[in-house]
Amino acid sequence: AIDAQVDPIILPGVNAAGIPELLASADRYKGHIYPLIGLHPEDTNANYQTEMEIIAGYLDDPRVIGIGEIGLDFYFSREFEKEQIEVFDLQLGWAKERQMPLSLHIRNAYEEAIPVLKKYDHSGLKGVLHCFSGGIQEAQWGIRFGFALGVGGVVTFKNNKLQEIVKEVGLKNIVLETDAPYLAPVPYRGKTNESSYIPIIAQKVAEVTGESFETVMEATTENALRIFDKINHIGKSL
């Protein structure tokens, strides 16, 4: 990824167990990897309180630049819907209190997520709607709220609505990402995704928007560094 000029890399967390490895990666690749911490909705269950206590203990670690990947996901199951909403609300409160940026995961749950987020309107929250999968109305709402749209490999797939949304909202409102190891861009679709494929995504965004590849890389990097402003590697490709 570094050889492909995808640097620095923002690396989200999904649960408490993974935090030591996240921080070890940040130490091993100091100046290149920047971790987020949080409890992912699909990792949320009836024992979430213990998990959240552990995660909270890392909030003030200087290596942590934000909270994520958090949100709501009812794609596979609603078994822990109540718990997911409680965890989401609590972590949004952490972000508000510490003014930390967010990586939000919302899948099949915008109807439930928007009322929770509205509680924090005008609170200075900012972040990324990770792996954005909503429509133009959700995109416009997210942008008004202060979030950029996370655009990954899906934008390279044929007949997908994300291309039109990217074209409509423009470069100022998107960042590039992978969702690795999932959603690899064409021509690697169906294979393991990795951060070095970001330039492929950037090339497709350039085609969709009519901008140059260099403009896309520069603009989306600036957006990401503005959101995750604890990173000081201005001018590098993300």
Side-chain angles (χ1 to χ4, degrees):
I2 294 169
D3 288 344
Q5 296 186 308
V6 181
D7 181 30
I9 296 170
I10 296 170
L11 192 61
V14 295
N15 54 39
I19 293 176
E21 188 174 357
L22 283 173
L23 298 181
S25 295
D27 289 339
R28 182 179 179 186
Y29 297 101
K30 191 172 183 179
H32 299 290
I33 287 180
Y34 295 85
L36 312 178
I37 59 171
L39 185 58
H40 191 283
E42 290 187 298
D43 283 68
T44 300
N45 56 41
N47 298 318
Y48 75 85
Q49 291 180 333
T50 299
E51 189 98 356
M52 292 291 279
E53 288 175 6
I54 297 171
I55 294 171
Y58 289 94
L59 285 171
D60 296 319
D61 189 296
R63 293 165 290 185
V64 174
I65 66 163
I67 296 174
E69 186 178 322
I70 71 170
L72 301 176
D73 191 325
F74 302 134
Y75 184 77
F76 291 110
S77 171
R78 288 182 174 266
E79 180 182 2
F80 297 110
E81 179 175 346
K82 177 176 175 290
E83 289 85 353
Q84 281 195 35
I85 292 173
E86 290 174 355
V87 167
F88 185 35
D89 193 13
L90 179 57
Q91 292 179 109
L92 288 173
W94 289 349
K96 176 185 176 182
E97 179 183 350
R98 291 171 170 78
Q99 286 299 289
M100 299 178 78
L102 296 155
S103 174
L104 297 188
H105 172 109
I106 302 174
R107 183 165 62 162
N108 282 40
Y110 274 96
E111 185 176 343
E112 295 82 2
I114 288 175
V116 181
L117 283 160
K118 280 184 175 179
K119 294 169 56 178
Y120 298 91
D121 203 3
H122 306 297
S123 64
L125 290 186
K126 61 182 179 179
V128 174
L129 291 175
H130 161 67
C131 199
F132 182 74
S133 60
I136 189 60
Q137 288 185 327
E138 290 83 5
Q140 291 170 340
W141 172 85
I143 290 166
R144 284 196 300 270
F145 197 89
F147 289 89
L149 310 184
V151 176
V154 172
V155 78
T156 70
F157 300 171
K158 289 183 179 180
N159 302 319
N160 72 84
K161 63 183 178 182
L162 187 56
Q163 292 181 8
E164 287 303 314
I165 291 172
V166 166
K167 187 175 181 180
E168 183 160 344
V169 304
L171 292 182
K172 65 181 179 179
N173 293 307
I174 69 170
V175 298
L176 305 184
E177 58 179 15
T178 60
D179 198 35
Y182 311 109
L183 298 177
V186 175
Y188 301 103
R189 185 174 183 179
K191 299 180 180 180
T192 301
N193 200 0
E194 59 180 68
S195 297
S196 66
Y197 295 160
I198 286 285
I200 299 172
I201 298 166
Q203 188 61 57
K204 187 63 180 183
V205 170
E207 178 186 323
V208 168
T209 60
E211 301 286 354
S212 69
F213 171 82
E214 291 76 16
T215 296
V216 171
M217 291 292 274
E218 181 179 352
T220 55
T221 297
E222 289 178 357
N223 294 342
L225 293 173
R226 183 182 67 252
I227 294 166
F228 298 97
D229 50 13
K230 203 169 177 179
I231 301 175
N232 59 9
H233 292 261
I234 303 298
K236 291 188 176 183
S237 297
L238 186 66

